[in-house]
PDB file of all heavy atoms in Angstrom:
ATOM      1  N   THR A  79      24.813  19.258  17.685  1.00 98.00           N
ATOM      2  CA  THR A  79      23.651  19.890  16.982  1.00 98.00           C
ATOM      3  C   THR A  79      22.305  19.314  17.518  1.00 98.00           C
ATOM      4  O   THR A  79      21.385  20.018  17.844  1.00 98.00           O
ATOM      5  CB  THR A  79      23.786  19.642  15.474  1.00 98.00           C
ATOM      6  OG1 THR A  79      25.017  19.984  15.019  1.00 98.00           O
ATOM      7  CG2 THR A  79      22.626  20.381  14.731  1.00 98.00           C
ATOM      8  N   ARG A  80      22.235  18.022  17.688  1.00 98.00           N
ATOM      9  CA  ARG A  80      20.987  17.402  18.145  1.00 98.00           C
ATOM     10  C   ARG A  80      20.705  17.869  19.539  1.00 98.00           C
ATOM     11  O   ARG A  80      19.557  18.270  19.850  1.00 98.00           O
ATOM     12  CB  ARG A  80      21.027  15.848  17.997  1.00 98.00           C
ATOM     13  CG  ARG A  80      19.659  15.250  17.997  1.00 98.00           C
ATOM     14  CD  ARG A  80      19.739  13.787  18.276  1.00 98.00           C
ATOM     15  NE  ARG A  80      20.267  13.512  19.604  1.00 98.00           N
ATOM     16  CZ  ARG A  80      19.713  13.665  20.804  1.00 98.00           C
ATOM     17  NH1 ARG A  80      18.458  14.299  20.864  1.00 98.00           N
ATOM     18  NH2 ARG A  80      20.331  13.424  21.950  1.00 98.00           N
ATOM     19  N   THR A  81      21.717  17.712  20.393  1.00 98.00           N
ATOM     20  CA  THR A  81      21.507  18.075  21.797  1.00 98.00           C
ATOM     21  C   THR A  81      21.096  19.571  22.043  1.00 98.00           C
ATOM     22  O   THR A  81      20.277  19.891  22.773  1.00 98.00           O
ATOM     23  CB  THR A  81      22.767  17.765  22.608  1.00 98.00           C
ATOM     24  OG1 THR A  81      23.194  16.504  22.371  1.00 98.00           O
ATOM     25  CG2 THR A  81      22.540  17.873  24.159  1.00 98.00           C
ATOM     26  N   SER A  82      21.763  20.384  21.272  1.00 98.00           N
ATOM     27  CA  SER A  82      21.480  21.844  21.490  1.00 98.00           C
ATOM     28  C   SER A  82      20.180  22.222  20.859  1.00 98.00           C
ATOM     29  O   SER A  82      19.517  23.111  21.411  1.00 98.00           O
ATOM     30  CB  SER A  82      22.562  22.742  20.913  1.00 98.00           C
ATOM     31  OG  SER A  82      22.829  22.525  19.584  1.00 98.00           O
ATOM     32  N   PHE A  83      19.692  21.555  19.772  1.00 98.00           N
ATOM     33  CA  PHE A  83      18.362  21.863  19.322  1.00 98.00           C
ATOM     34  C   PHE A  83      17.297  21.381  20.324  1.00 98.00           C
ATOM     35  O   PHE A  83      16.288  21.984  20.455  1.00 98.00           O
ATOM     36  CB  PHE A  83      18.111  21.137  17.913  1.00 98.00           C
ATOM     37  CG  PHE A  83      18.361  22.114  16.735  1.00 98.00           C
ATOM     38  CD1 PHE A  83      19.446  21.876  15.836  1.00 98.00           C
ATOM     39  CD2 PHE A  83      17.597  23.221  16.532  1.00 98.00           C
ATOM     40  CE1 PHE A  83      19.619  22.718  14.785  1.00 98.00           C
ATOM     41  CE2 PHE A  83      17.784  24.098  15.503  1.00 98.00           C
ATOM     42  CZ  PHE A  83      18.827  23.857  14.627  1.00 98.00           C
ATOM     43  N   GLU A  84      17.610  20.236  20.953  1.00 98.00           N
ATOM     44  CA  GLU A  84      16.669  19.703  21.901  1.00 98.00           C
ATOM     45  C   GLU A  84      16.587  20.654  23.060  1.00 98.00           C
ATOM     46  O   GLU A  84      15.556  21.010  23.553  1.00 98.00           O
ATOM     47  CB  GLU A  84      17.087  18.341  22.439  1.00 98.00           C
ATOM     48  CG  GLU A  84      16.125  17.745  23.390  1.00 98.00           C
ATOM     49  CD  GLU A  84      16.488  16.283  23.822  1.00 98.00           C
ATOM     50  OE1 GLU A  84      17.395  15.683  23.252  1.00 98.00           O
ATOM     51  OE2 GLU A  84      15.725  15.770  24.727  1.00 98.00           O
ATOM     52  N   LEU A  85      17.792  21.077  23.606  1.00 98.00           N
ATOM     53  CA  LEU A  85      17.829  21.964  24.761  1.00 98.00           C
ATOM     54  C   LEU A  85      17.135  23.281  24.389  1.00 98.00           C
ATOM     55  O   LEU A  85      16.387  23.921  25.118  1.00 98.00           O
ATOM     56  CB  LEU A  85      19.217  22.296  25.220  1.00 98.00           C
ATOM     57  CG  LEU A  85      19.861  21.209  26.012  1.00 98.00           C
ATOM     58  CD1 LEU A  85      21.365  21.544  26.228  1.00 98.00           C
ATOM     59  CD2 LEU A  85      19.140  21.033  27.335  1.00 98.00           C
ATOM     60  N   ALA A  86      17.423  23.822  23.200  1.00 98.00           N
ATOM     61  CA  ALA A  86      16.880  25.103  22.712  1.00 98.00           C
ATOM     62  C   ALA A  86      15.385  25.062  22.680  1.00 98.00           C
ATOM     63  O   ALA A  86      14.711  25.945  23.260  1.00 98.00           O
ATOM     64  CB  ALA A  86      17.446  25.461  21.353  1.00 98.00           C
ATOM     65  N   ALA A  87      14.843  23.990  22.091  1.00 98.00           N
ATOM     66  CA  ALA A  87      13.361  23.834  22.068  1.00 98.00           C
ATOM     67  C   ALA A  87      12.712  23.731  23.454  1.00 98.00           C
ATOM     68  O   ALA A  87      11.720  24.379  23.708  1.00 98.00           O
ATOM     69  CB  ALA A  87      13.004  22.613  21.205  1.00 98.00           C
ATOM     70  N   LYS A  88      13.368  22.956  24.280  1.00 98.00           N
ATOM     71  CA  LYS A  88      12.853  22.792  25.691  1.00 98.00           C
ATOM     72  C   LYS A  88      12.899  24.080  26.458  1.00 98.00           C
ATOM     73  O   LYS A  88      12.030  24.386  27.225  1.00 98.00           O
ATOM     74  CB  LYS A  88      13.627  21.636  26.375  1.00 98.00           C
ATOM     75  CG  LYS A  88      13.217  20.236  25.890  1.00 98.00           C
ATOM     76  CD  LYS A  88      13.931  19.174  26.518  1.00 98.00           C
ATOM     77  CE  LYS A  88      13.264  17.805  26.164  1.00 98.00           C
ATOM     78  NZ  LYS A  88      14.057  16.652  26.555  1.00 98.00           N
ATOM     79  N   ARG A  89      13.973  24.796  26.238  1.00 98.00           N
ATOM     80  CA  ARG A  89      14.130  26.109  27.018  1.00 98.00           C
ATOM     81  C   ARG A  89      13.111  27.073  26.538  1.00 98.00           C
ATOM     82  O   ARG A  89      12.759  28.027  27.200  1.00 98.00           O
ATOM     83  CB  ARG A  89      15.601  26.654  26.907  1.00 98.00           C
ATOM     84  CG  ARG A  89      16.451  25.727  27.781  1.00 98.00           C
ATOM     85  CD  ARG A  89      17.855  26.150  27.895  1.00 98.00           C
ATOM     86  NE  ARG A  89      18.549  25.079  28.621  1.00 98.00           N
ATOM     87  CZ  ARG A  89      19.894  24.964  28.732  1.00 98.00           C
ATOM     88  NH1 ARG A  89      20.631  25.875  28.179  1.00 98.00           N
ATOM     89  NH2 ARG A  89      20.379  24.014  29.523  1.00 98.00           N
ATOM     90  N   LEU A  90      12.541  26.904  25.299  1.00 97.00           N
ATOM     91  CA  LEU A  90      11.519  27.796  24.827  1.00 97.00           C
ATOM     92  C   LEU A  90      10.098  27.196  25.041  1.00 97.00           C
ATOM     93  O   LEU A  90       9.076  27.714  24.606  1.00 97.00           O
ATOM     94  CB  LEU A  90      11.672  27.896  23.285  1.00 97.00           C
ATOM     95  CG  LEU A  90      12.907  28.690  22.871  1.00 97.00           C
ATOM     96  CD1 LEU A  90      13.133  28.627  21.381  1.00 97.00           C
ATOM     97  CD2 LEU A  90      12.782  30.172  23.218  1.00 97.00           C
ATOM     98  N   SER A  91      10.074  26.116  25.885  1.00 97.00           N
ATOM     99  CA  SER A  91       8.872  25.387  26.308  1.00 97.00           C
ATOM    100  C   SER A  91       8.116  24.645  25.129  1.00 97.00           C
ATOM    101  O   SER A  91       6.896  24.351  25.285  1.00 97.00           O
ATOM    102  CB  SER A  91       7.880  26.378  26.980  1.00 97.00           C
ATOM    103  OG  SER A  91       8.458  26.980  28.046  1.00 97.00           O
ATOM    104  N   ALA A  92       8.812  24.399  24.039  1.00 98.00           N
ATOM    105  CA  ALA A  92       8.212  23.617  22.973  1.00 98.00           C
ATOM    106  C   ALA A  92       8.225  22.138  23.420  1.00 98.00           C
ATOM    107  O   ALA A  92       8.950  21.743  24.243  1.00 98.00           O
ATOM    108  CB  ALA A  92       8.982  23.777  21.685  1.00 98.00           C
ATOM    109  N   ASP A  93       7.343  21.353  22.784  1.00 98.00           N
ATOM    110  CA  ASP A  93       7.401  19.874  22.932  1.00 98.00           C
ATOM    111  C   ASP A  93       8.458  19.380  21.888  1.00 98.00           C
ATOM    112  O   ASP A  93       8.394  19.799  20.739  1.00 98.00           O
ATOM    113  CB  ASP A  93       6.216  19.184  22.651  1.00 98.00           C
ATOM    114  CG  ASP A  93       5.131  19.655  23.685  1.00 98.00           C
ATOM    115  OD1 ASP A  93       5.396  19.731  24.898  1.00 98.00           O
ATOM    116  OD2 ASP A  93       3.948  19.968  23.287  1.00 98.00           O
ATOM    117  N   VAL A  94       9.296  18.424  22.326  1.00 98.00           N
ATOM    118  CA  VAL A  94      10.450  17.955  21.438  1.00 98.00           C
ATOM    119  C   VAL A  94      10.330  16.408  21.260  1.00 98.00           C
ATOM    120  O   VAL A  94      10.155  15.636  22.244  1.00 98.00           O
ATOM    121  CB  VAL A  94      11.757  18.286  22.021  1.00 98.00           C
ATOM    122  CG1 VAL A  94      12.848  17.989  20.985  1.00 98.00           C
ATOM    123  CG2 VAL A  94      11.867  19.708  22.414  1.00 98.00           C
ATOM    124  N   ILE A  95      10.402  15.990  20.025  1.00 96.00           N
ATOM    125  CA  ILE A  95      10.541  14.596  19.747  1.00 96.00           C
ATOM    126  C   ILE A  95      11.888  14.306  19.118  1.00 96.00           C
ATOM    127  O   ILE A  95      12.224  14.951  18.090  1.00 96.00           O
ATOM    128  CB  ILE A  95       9.406  14.123  18.755  1.00 96.00           C
ATOM    129  CG1 ILE A  95       8.013  14.421  19.273  1.00 96.00           C
ATOM    130  CG2 ILE A  95       9.518  12.604  18.414  1.00 96.00           C
ATOM    131  CD1 ILE A  95       7.600  13.732  20.566  1.00 96.00           C
ATOM    132  N   ASN A  96      12.614  13.417  19.628  1.00 96.00           N
ATOM    133  CA  ASN A  96      13.855  13.002  18.939  1.00 96.00           C
ATOM    134  C   ASN A  96      13.613  11.690  18.256  1.00 96.00           C
ATOM    135  O   ASN A  96      13.460  10.692  18.843  1.00 96.00           O
ATOM    136  CB  ASN A  96      15.012  12.756  20.016  1.00 96.00           C
ATOM    137  CG  ASN A  96      15.428  14.073  20.580  1.00 96.00           C
ATOM    138  OD1 ASN A  96      15.769  15.002  19.926  1.00 96.00           O
ATOM    139  ND2 ASN A  96      15.460  14.158  21.901  1.00 96.00           N
ATOM    140  N   PHE A  97      13.578  11.776  16.883  1.00 92.00           N
ATOM    141  CA  PHE A  97      13.240  10.667  16.048  1.00 92.00           C
ATOM    142  C   PHE A  97      14.484   9.918  15.695  1.00 92.00           C
ATOM    143  O   PHE A  97      15.466  10.559  15.244  1.00 92.00           O
ATOM    144  CB  PHE A  97      12.571  11.271  14.824  1.00 92.00           C
ATOM    145  CG  PHE A  97      12.209  10.218  13.731  1.00 92.00           C
ATOM    146  CD1 PHE A  97      10.944   9.579  13.791  1.00 92.00           C
ATOM    147  CD2 PHE A  97      13.163   9.779  12.757  1.00 92.00           C
ATOM    148  CE1 PHE A  97      10.659   8.707  12.810  1.00 92.00           C
ATOM    149  CE2 PHE A  97      12.816   8.900  11.848  1.00 92.00           C
ATOM    150  CZ  PHE A  97      11.590   8.318  11.826  1.00 92.00           C
ATOM    151  N   SER A  98      14.544   8.632  15.946  1.00 90.00           N
ATOM    152  CA  SER A  98      15.740   7.889  15.673  1.00 90.00           C
ATOM    153  C   SER A  98      15.519   6.934  14.412  1.00 90.00           C
ATOM    154  O   SER A  98      14.696   6.078  14.524  1.00 90.00           O
ATOM    155  CB  SER A  98      16.096   7.036  16.906  1.00 90.00           C
ATOM    156  OG  SER A  98      16.944   5.985  16.645  1.00 90.00           O
ATOM    157  N   PRO A  99      16.055   7.294  13.357  1.00 90.00           N
ATOM    158  CA  PRO A  99      15.772   6.398  12.103  1.00 90.00           C
ATOM    159  C   PRO A  99      16.067   4.958  12.343  1.00 90.00           C
ATOM    160  O   PRO A  99      15.345   4.067  11.837  1.00 90.00           O
ATOM    161  CB  PRO A  99      16.769   6.946  11.039  1.00 90.00           C
ATOM    162  CG  PRO A  99      17.044   8.423  11.465  1.00 90.00           C
ATOM    163  CD  PRO A  99      16.969   8.388  13.020  1.00 90.00           C
ATOM    164  N   SER A 100      17.048   4.655  13.145  1.00 91.00           N
ATOM    165  CA  SER A 100      17.471   3.229  13.256  1.00 91.00           C
ATOM    166  C   SER A 100      16.361   2.385  14.034  1.00 91.00           C
ATOM    167  O   SER A 100      16.351   1.175  13.936  1.00 91.00           O
ATOM    168  CB  SER A 100      18.753   3.022  13.976  1.00 91.00           C
ATOM    169  OG  SER A 100      18.669   3.558  15.317  1.00 91.00           O
TER     170      SER A 100
END
Side-chain angles (χ1 to χ4, degrees):
T79 311
R80 199 198 59 72
T81 309
S82 62
F83 265 114
E84 181 176 355
L85 281 174
K88 286 182 170 167
R89 287 181 187 171
L90 294 169
S91 302
D93 296 317
V94 187
I95 304 296
N96 289 310
F97 177 92
S98 164
S100 63

